[in-house]
Amino acid sequence: MVVTKEEIKALLNKLQNDPSCRYDLDYFSEKNPDPFVWKAIMEGTQGSIYEDGFFMLKIVFTENYPENRPSIYFLNKIFHPHVSSSGAACIVPTKNDIISVLETVESMFLDYDADLDHAYSEEPKALYKENPDKFITKAKEWVNAYAKLEDLDQFYD
């Protein structure tokens, strides 16, 4: 199955107008909108070490959506074992639809220690295994340094 530009535009429009959708979604670039590249603002999950952070995500769909899930990239820095230094998120959602994918990203804020053998980023993985308290301290420092709401301005065109 191939998803068309019109279908992916309609999906974004539906989600933007759905009061139950808790994600702030839009085209990645307002000047040159590509229906297959979105952005999302995600707040760190309450009760997690990322709870005071605001994260800008880049969401890249393929024409094979929803058979293939979209790729997720954190644009601001995050100290997390399942996010590479380039911002790529390593996730395994239960379903490939965009809401399930975003819910899986949200769960990463609480489950940073899950499946460390398949972590994307060695430094957070090693620090967590060596000293979980130092990992938590560093992750919170990065939230304070790179994930404030005002920091997201740099990602708007």
Side-chain angles (χ1 to χ4, degrees), residues 4-69:
T4 66
K5 285 184 178 184
E6 290 73 27
E7 290 169 323
I8 208 87
K9 285 180 187 179
L11 175 60
L12 178 59
N13 187 50
K14 175 184 169 193
L15 293 172
Q16 287 174 323
N17 292 302
D18 181 350
S20 68
C21 180
R22 61 185 188 272
Y23 304 106
D24 183 4
L25 300 167
D26 206 344
Y27 294 114
F28 184 71
S29 171
E30 294 172 12
K31 293 178 183 172
N32 188 19
D34 177 347
F36 289 95
V37 185
W38 299 2
K39 63 183 169 191
I41 297 172
M42 186 171 287
E43 196 170 345
T45 304
Q46 292 301 307
S48 78
I49 59 178
Y50 304 96
E51 74 178 331
D52 293 326
F54 292 87
F55 301 91
M56 180 70 75
L57 306 177
K58 182 178 183 178
I59 305 165
V60 181
F61 294 87
T62 69
E63 291 179 350
N64 295 326
Y65 176 81
E67 282 82 26
N68 295 341
R69 68 168 174 77

Side-chain angles (χ1 to χ4, degrees), residues 19 28-29 68 123 129 138 143 152-153:
F28 184 71
S29 171
N68 295 341
E123 182 185 357
K129 285 184 169 186
K138 187 163 186 174
V143 167
L152 300 183
D153 290 343

Side-chain angles (χ1 to χ4, degrees), residues 86-155:
S86 65
C90 177
I91 58 171
V92 182
T94 55
K95 296 186 282 183
N96 287 338
D97 67 275
I98 186 60
I99 295 301
S100 294
V101 168
L102 292 172
E103 287 171 347
T104 300
V105 172
E106 262 185 324
S107 73
M108 287 175 53
F109 294 131
L110 292 167
D111 299 331
Y112 49 84
D113 58 346
D115 198 17
L116 287 175
D117 291 333
H118 295 98
Y120 255 27
S121 187
E122 284 300 317
E123 182 185 357
K125 171 185 166 180
L127 185 56
Y128 183 81
K129 285 184 169 186
E130 179 183 307
N131 189 327
D133 290 336
K134 281 187 178 179
F135 167 85
I136 289 168
T137 298
K138 187 163 186 174
K140 287 181 177 183
E141 287 172 354
W142 280 39
V143 167
N144 288 327
Y146 305 113
K148 292 301 176 195
L149 189 57
E150 58 271 15
D151 296 334
L152 300 183
D153 290 343
Q154 65 183 313
F155 302 113

